[in-house]
Amino acid sequence: MPDGTVLPSRNFEQKLRKEVILGSITNNSITQIWNSKKSKKLRKIVVEHHSYVYNTC
């Protein structure tokens, strides 16, 4: 996003909910965002439920 907000997918742009914002590139490094609890949880969901995630992303 132009303001530095990092989302897991462009599909979330219109649904900017706090749960899907992974971080802010203006406040955090890419490494910090990648290793955040939210990013780790998202990657786990993708692995466990990949068919659902890929169909919505």
Side-chain angles (χ1 to χ4, degrees):
M1 303 288 302
D3 66 353
T5 301
V6 178
L7 301 171
S9 168
R10 291 198 63 181
N11 288 342
F12 290 105
E13 284 183 37
Q14 296 177 13
K15 302 175 189 174
L16 274 180
R17 295 176 290 173
K18 193 173 183 178
E19 311 89 64
V20 298
I21 297 173
L22 299 178
S24 173
I25 199 66
T26 58
N27 299 321
N28 306 101
S29 70
I30 293 172
T31 302
Q32 289 172 319
I33 294 169
W34 179 262
N35 291 319
S36 70
K37 288 181 182 181
K38 284 186 178 182
S39 291
K40 288 178 182 180
K41 183 177 179 179
L42 175 67
R43 290 193 299 275
K44 183 178 178 183
I45 290 169
V46 169
V47 169
E48 292 175 354
H49 305 284
H50 61 84
S51 61
Y52 171 75
V53 173
Y54 292 138
N55 288 333
T56 60
C57 215

